[in-house]
Amino acid sequence: MKVQDPTGQTWRVTRRWVPWRRRLKGVMANMPSGPGLGDDPVSAVIGLIFLVILLPFLVLALVAALELLLLLLVVPFALLARVVLGRHWTVEARRGFTIWYDEPAGDWQSSGLRIHSLADALRRGDIPTPNVTDLAD
């Protein structure tokens, strides 16, 4: 649920669908790119230099893609386990896209009620104290 507090800040109050938070964010947006290369030996050397420079970024992009693939593979089983086993959901409030506050909220129905009550509190300006230790600036 997307809400705005009295100062105009956008908040998103949602359930966390998997038990972990993604660690790699915005990898593909910061990828540098080199100039176009020709087909002579000098261009091959320059291309090799660019490849060596870009290799760490390519490895990081590959890790992010593998994490996303793992997430897509695990989500159906995680949802099924949550429904069948009655696992508890975590409700999180994000300021923009940065997680600001999270708390365990019980089953599906009680987590939905908590989402609405937290969203109403944010609309009124009752900002919860941040309890997430890895806040990004």
Side-chain angles (χ1 to χ4, degrees):
M1 175 178 292
K2 189 172 166 183
V3 297
Q4 283 190 342
D5 64 13
T7 64
Q9 176 69 46
T10 301
W11 292 83
R12 289 169 176 81
V13 184
T14 59
R15 288 177 187 90
R16 185 178 306 143
W17 289 85
V18 292
W20 66 86
R21 286 184 226 124
R22 290 199 65 208
R23 299 291 180 213
L24 299 174
K25 297 176 182 96
V27 172
M28 298 303 285
N30 298 326
M31 290 277 295
S33 62
L37 296 172
D39 58 354
D40 54 19
V42 173
S43 296
V45 170
I46 293 172
L48 237 101
I49 292 171
F50 274 120
L51 179 64
V52 168
I53 291 172
L54 290 177
L55 196 60
F57 296 104
L58 294 174
V59 169
L60 190 60
L62 179 66
V63 168
L66 288 175
E67 181 186 10
L68 183 62
L69 179 64
L70 177 66
L71 180 68
L72 291 175
L73 290 173
V74 168
V75 164
F77 297 108
L79 292 177
L80 183 64
R82 283 183 184 265
V83 171
V84 171
L85 302 175
R87 295 282 307 202
H88 292 284
W89 291 87
T90 301
V91 172
E92 59 187 20
R94 293 174 301 194
R95 192 174 187 174
F97 288 100
T98 303
I99 298 173
W100 181 266
Y101 176 80
D102 63 357
E103 68 179 48
D107 63 359
W108 182 265
Q109 184 177 5
S110 59
S111 65
L113 293 173
R114 183 60 187 137
I115 286 173
H116 286 288
S117 66
L118 190 56
D120 290 339
L122 288 168
R123 275 191 204 101
R124 290 190 309 269
D126 298 333
I127 309 298
T129 305
N131 65 353
V132 179
T133 57
D134 60 343
L135 288 175
D137 294 307

